[in-house]
């Protein structure tokens, strides 16, 4: 998974029927989590708000792990990181 | 998923039988969505036009989520982003 | 999928039994299709020749979409792009 | 798989039910193992400690290989590298 | 698949039960095969030696294609490239 910050959302009216009812959040990986600043569009099954730090699962884990095995989803917010919840001891 | 702009299309006469009938669109990820400008060829099950902004699902999500579980497809346009539909609050 | 040019081939005598009978082509993604020049080894189920422009599917799509669900294959040429078949309207 | 060092951990109280009971470790790939320093959040089924060098499996291998086929997990620590256990002969 | 050179191996005593009995080889992709020098840890089902050039399959292809569908494996050496077996005609 990667850790990132929810920086926005995305509205799509014309979309796959299987995506209806989902929220699409824009997540920006933390600086050390990605080679570059590369934002991801992830569905949100946890209820994360703008500005929160989250864990994002990608690939089939997003689809299957969020009980949407047949939906065209390749990224999902699967956890909200606690305040002070990133503990690094290099 | 990533967000990008449809910038072209691709014509392939000799192709896998399982791809017959599909449109192949060239999608350029938005600048913040990719480490570099890297275009993707995605099938289009929504009916996106050149110049539209779209969501693209990659990997098994494209194949399974678009009801083509047996086709050699690894990217699909799964939603058209509304005008003004990208809401960023950094 | 990505679009690329077939620039070579690869010979492997000692290989997985499940790969016997396949051709391994070296495909170089088009300049805009990849962050860097990164070649891919793809099996070829279409009959592409050196110098031809092709579509390559990656991941489980290559294996399952080419009727080799049990083979250790993660990339396949799934279409030959027509001459003049890349239509870009930026 | 990639080889990396466990450099921290991550605490998430609000998360997918399927993730309850897991530890989330921050793994930094070894310098030669990644194009850039890009950290990964991996579950840990082996019991690795901070500072240890580990093997991380990504994608469906993490989920299925760690007996969590239905969980939104895309990376897992699957082995601890022995001291002096990286043998390179360039 | 990618083509690379076996440059080392890795010893892991404490690992997933499903990995017991496997050899873990360090493969360095050929210069044109990767955006950067990024080594991969791959299991070896072919018997490749240090210094040999090999094909590596990644993702679910490694696991399923090497008859280890339940193991946490995301990369495998699936062929040894013949001497002079890389034929490029740019």
């Amino acid at each position: 998974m990667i850790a990132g910050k929810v920086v926005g959302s995305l509205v799509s009216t014309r979309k796959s029927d299987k995506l209806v009812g989902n929220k699409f959040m824009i997540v920006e990986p933390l600086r050390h989590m990605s080679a570059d600043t590369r934002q991801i569009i992830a569905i949100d099954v946890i209820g994360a708000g703008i500005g929160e730090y989250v864990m994002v699962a990608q690939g089939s884990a997003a689809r299957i792990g969020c009980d949407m095995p047949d939906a065209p989803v390749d990224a999902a917010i699967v956890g909200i990181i606690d305040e002070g919840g990133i503990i690094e001891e290099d």
Side-chain angles (χ1 to χ4, degrees), chain A residues 18 63 67-73:
Chain A
K18 296 172 179 172
R63 194 165 44 83
D67 300 314
M68 308 174 66
D70 300 324
V73 161

Side-chain angles (χ1 to χ4, degrees), chain A residues 59-78:
Chain A
S60 57
R63 194 165 44 83
I64 293 168
C66 296
D67 300 314
M68 308 174 66
D70 300 324
V73 161
D74 63 13
I77 294 173
V78 297

Side-chain angles (χ1 to χ4, degrees), chain A residues 23-42:
Chain A
K23 286 200 296 184
F24 304 100
M25 308 306 279
I26 303 171
V27 179
E28 186 159 305
L30 297 190
R31 211 166 62 82
H32 292 307
M33 292 283 160
S34 184
D36 283 75
T37 303
R38 179 168 58 165
Q39 296 178 345
I40 295 167
I41 310 296

